[in-house]
Amino acid sequence: MIKLPPYPFKVTEVDENHPFVTNALRDRKHYEPCWCGSGKKYKKCHRLREQEKPYTLGQLQNLQRKVFWRIRGCMHPLASPDSCSGKVIDSHTIQRKGPLERIIDKTGHVMHFEPNPNDGEVNASRIGWRRASIFPGYCSSHDTSLFAPIEKGEFSGEHWHCILHAFRNVCNELYRKQALIESLEFQRTCIDRGFDLDRQINVQLSCTKSIKGQKKSLEEMDSLREKFESAIIQGKFDAFESKCYFFQGNIDVVSSSIFHCEFDFAGNKLIDMWDLNLDAEILSHSVMNTEDGGAIIFVWLKDEQAPNTVVASFDNLPDEEKGDVFVQYCFVNCENTFFAEQWWRNLSQKQQALIQSYANTFYYEGGEFAANKNRLVNWVFV
Ligand SMILES: [Zn+2]
Ligand SMILES: [Zn+2]
């Protein structure tokens, strides 16, 4: 999942011999391309940046939000002006008439962790269910037709139903990745207003690096999307593997997303994510409800090794620990995790503090997930 920085992101100091820096420092004519790499003429970009009035944090966040959440078109595999109908609507990545419904309180709210815009610290907060886990992903007719098979009837673990859950996660992630890149591109046009040249250079180089990393990951995501699309169009799902873990008990925590397989559940490192030459392998997870409990669904590409290893490490956990470990994994890794207020209130202060600390983990650095002695959820795997 993407954490949109709550404020302009951290600026790293750069070496003064870096080509980006020497290029920025040389004299240039007003009509030359700007040193920052925006593609604009220097006079329309950085020439007077130091004199420009900085935006307040509030203004910046409002502008950023508009850039982030703009409508980006229908993501149905067969989307086209002829086949789409109706507006692009907000889709729930966690099924509303399903797992989400199980955690809604009497006033129509669920809970999640939300960053405080002032200090970036995340806190447990209530959110109306209509706004929970949504993204503007599909036109209204495709949203209905594509997901009809998983909206109706009891979840049974059918392979292609699992694939549809994963496809929605992929679209959500792709949307957010694109949105993040556009947000970063927007940021670079204004977050260094009023800064002196040195700080402008630092900010612009950080932006350039982040955008490059995000674009690489967008390409990977896009090629994954293509694999899902052709599978869905042809109705052939044998390139994918799915595995469901059914449990009895209360669905108090629901979560849905895709991850780069950086670590397995035993905390072993599988890939160095900072190496941009390596392609990350991806695992999708979702939680679905069943009559007397629910299921954790994993989906991945059959010929990839890392997700196989991750799922095998989950499989190796004792059944009585699976629920607790999975919930920790979701709170650490996934913003798209929601929970029932009733459940949250019944936790001890110590447990709440623990979960709060998971949610504040910006970057998981390995280490085994161990079940807590006082279990967070009462899931009994069957
Ligand atoms: Zn510029
Ligand atoms: Zn459509």
Side-chain angles (χ1 to χ4, degrees), residues 74 76 79 84 139 142:
C74 174
H76 187 278
C84 288
C139 71
H142 278 143

Short mmCIF file of all heavy atoms in Angstrom, two decimals, residues 74 76 79 84 139 142, ligand 2:
data_model
loop_
_atom_site.label_atom_id
_atom_site.label_comp_id
_atom_site.label_asym_id
_atom_site.label_seq_id
_atom_site.Cartn_x
_atom_site.Cartn_y
_atom_site.Cartn_z
N CYS A 74 -12.03 3.93 -16.21
CA CYS A 74 -12.49 2.59 -15.81
C CYS A 74 -11.36 1.58 -16.03
O CYS A 74 -10.70 1.59 -17.07
CB CYS A 74 -13.71 2.22 -16.63
SG CYS A 74 -14.29 0.54 -16.36
N HIS A 76 -11.76 -1.80 -15.99
CA HIS A 76 -12.24 -3.11 -16.43
C HIS A 76 -11.37 -3.58 -17.59
O HIS A 76 -10.96 -2.77 -18.43
CB HIS A 76 -13.71 -2.98 -16.87
CG HIS A 76 -14.36 -4.29 -17.19
ND1 HIS A 76 -14.20 -4.91 -18.40
CD2 HIS A 76 -15.15 -5.10 -16.44
CE1 HIS A 76 -14.88 -6.05 -18.39
NE2 HIS A 76 -15.47 -6.20 -17.21
N ALA A 79 -12.60 -2.22 -20.83
CA ALA A 79 -13.10 -0.84 -20.78
C ALA A 79 -12.88 -0.13 -22.11
O ALA A 79 -11.81 -0.24 -22.72
CB ALA A 79 -12.39 -0.07 -19.68
N CYS A 84 -18.22 0.95 -21.69
CA CYS A 84 -18.43 1.52 -20.35
C CYS A 84 -19.74 2.29 -20.32
O CYS A 84 -20.13 2.89 -21.30
CB CYS A 84 -17.29 2.48 -20.00
SG CYS A 84 -15.74 1.62 -19.65
N CYS A 139 -16.29 2.04 -14.09
CA CYS A 139 -17.59 2.65 -14.38
C CYS A 139 -18.65 1.81 -13.67
O CYS A 139 -18.42 0.65 -13.35
CB CYS A 139 -17.84 2.73 -15.88
SG CYS A 139 -18.16 1.14 -16.66
N HIS A 142 -19.51 -1.68 -15.24
CA HIS A 142 -18.45 -2.68 -15.12
C HIS A 142 -18.17 -3.07 -13.67
O HIS A 142 -17.81 -4.21 -13.40
CB HIS A 142 -17.16 -2.16 -15.78
CG HIS A 142 -17.15 -2.34 -17.26
ND1 HIS A 142 -16.60 -1.44 -18.12
CD2 HIS A 142 -17.63 -3.36 -18.02
CE1 HIS A 142 -16.75 -1.88 -19.38
NE2 HIS A 142 -17.36 -3.03 -19.34
ZN ZN B 2 -16.18 0.53 -17.69
#
